[in-house]
Amino acid sequence: IRTFTTKSFPMCPTPNPANCSPGLDPTDAPDRLCEEGQPLVSNFSRKTHILILATTRSGSSFVGQLFNQHSDVFYLFEPLYHVQYALIPKMPQNKSPSERRVMLGASRDLLRSLYDCDIFFLENYIKPQPVNHTTDKLFRRGASKALCSYPVCDGLGPTDVYLDEGDCVKKCGSLNLTLAMEACKDHAHVAIKTVRVPEVNDLRALVEDPRLNLKIIQLVRDPRGILASRS
């Protein structure tokens, strides 16, 4: 089972009958985990970008916290909240297709920037706008372990444990986005949770972006369960 780790996985080539034409290497095929005694080839994977996509009341917060607890993962909770509330007041209630494209374009641009650890890009949507890259208005900052731990949280030391969400807001003070950016770069993977992308097809541009190594986890729940959870 492959898990998130800073270590590379031992991989080995798999013979592929489709590559048995003259002049082609029959071992030129997708990698697989090696069995004992087979030659090893290191698989140094690049940073993984994870998007947890769901509708509300579908368990996305729980799944997000599973990633959040991993020491190699930099996790952000609903950063697209800021896009939604920065742009929606400027749009009519019945949004046209062109206005919807504006929302989706802004959301995709923000996701791409965050996966590249460009946290400053969020400043375009946080209200009031951060001063000197510092803000206390990041939505649910306390839901991110990385943002509530040393050195991003100046109220904690290197040996202090991660704070609960409520304590994080009280003890950590304003969020220094410069420190948040550095923390993001220090983590091996970036995970983002959102319920603000209507369809997975809207993310095609990100999936096809060669600069990203995007993995999408789409959660689907029986609508009867969603309805029951609201009662």
Side-chain angles (χ1 to χ4, degrees):
I1 299 175
R2 303 188 191 189
T3 57
F4 292 106
T5 177
T6 55
K7 299 179 180 179
S8 61
F9 288 99
M11 307 296 291
C12 63
T14 306
N16 186 349
N19 292 332
C20 290
S21 302
L24 293 179
D25 184 353
T27 63
D28 185 14
D31 291 330
R32 63 183 176 87
L33 290 176
C34 280
E35 298 176 0
E36 186 176 358
Q38 290 183 289
L40 303 181
V41 178
S42 293
N43 174 32
F44 294 100
S45 59
R46 52 189 176 135
K47 187 187 290 279
T48 304
H49 307 112
I50 305 133
L51 182 64
I52 303 164
L53 180 67
T55 58
T56 56
R57 317 296 293 182
S58 296
S60 58
S61 296
F62 172 76
V63 174
Q65 284 303 312
L66 296 180
F67 286 96
N68 188 38
Q69 299 308 312
H70 199 291
S71 59
D72 287 342
V73 175
F74 182 87
Y75 174 71
L76 289 175
F77 181 96
E78 294 291 345
L80 298 187
Y81 166 91
H82 295 287
V83 175
Q84 180 178 350
Y85 284 94
L87 296 183
I88 281 183
K90 302 177 183 178
M91 295 182 177
Q93 188 170 5
N94 297 321
K95 294 186 287 294
S96 67
S98 61
E99 289 162 340
R100 180 176 179 272
R101 285 195 296 271
V102 169
M103 283 282 296
L104 289 174
S107 297
R108 285 194 295 258
D109 288 345
L110 178 58
L111 288 173
R112 183 182 289 108
S113 297
L114 293 177
Y115 283 132
D116 195 37
C117 292
D118 182 7
I119 309 296
F120 290 164
F121 200 85
L122 257 176
E123 295 183 356
N124 296 311
Y125 303 104
I126 296 176
K127 305 299 179 187
Q129 191 164 11
V131 177
N132 296 326
H133 304 307
T134 302
T135 181
D136 59 356
K137 298 299 183 182
L138 183 69
F139 181 63
R140 296 285 300 273
R141 176 241 182 117
S144 171
K145 181 178 179 179
L147 299 183
C148 295
S149 304
Y150 179 85
V152 180
C153 177
D154 55 11
L156 297 179
T159 60
D160 291 327
V161 297
Y162 162 60
L163 297 171
D164 290 334
E165 183 169 351
D167 291 334
C168 172
V169 176
K170 295 176 183 177
K171 295 183 179 180
C172 292
S174 297
L175 174 63
N176 186 317
L177 297 177
T178 303
L179 293 178
M181 182 183 300
E182 293 173 356
C184 177
K185 293 178 180 178
D186 287 340
H187 285 72
H189 313 286
V190 179
I192 295 174
K193 174 259 184 188
T194 185
V195 296
R196 291 173 167 84
V197 176
E199 300 177 16
V200 68
N201 190 53
D202 294 330
L203 300 170
R204 180 174 179 177
L206 292 180
V207 174
E208 296 177 348
D209 191 331
R211 296 168 294 180
L212 298 179
N213 182 24
L214 185 62
K215 311 296 181 184
I216 297 177
I217 301 174
Q218 185 176 22
L219 303 179
V220 180
R221 185 182 181 187
D222 188 321
R224 293 170 293 183
I226 295 176
L227 183 62
S229 71
R230 296 182 182 276
S231 59

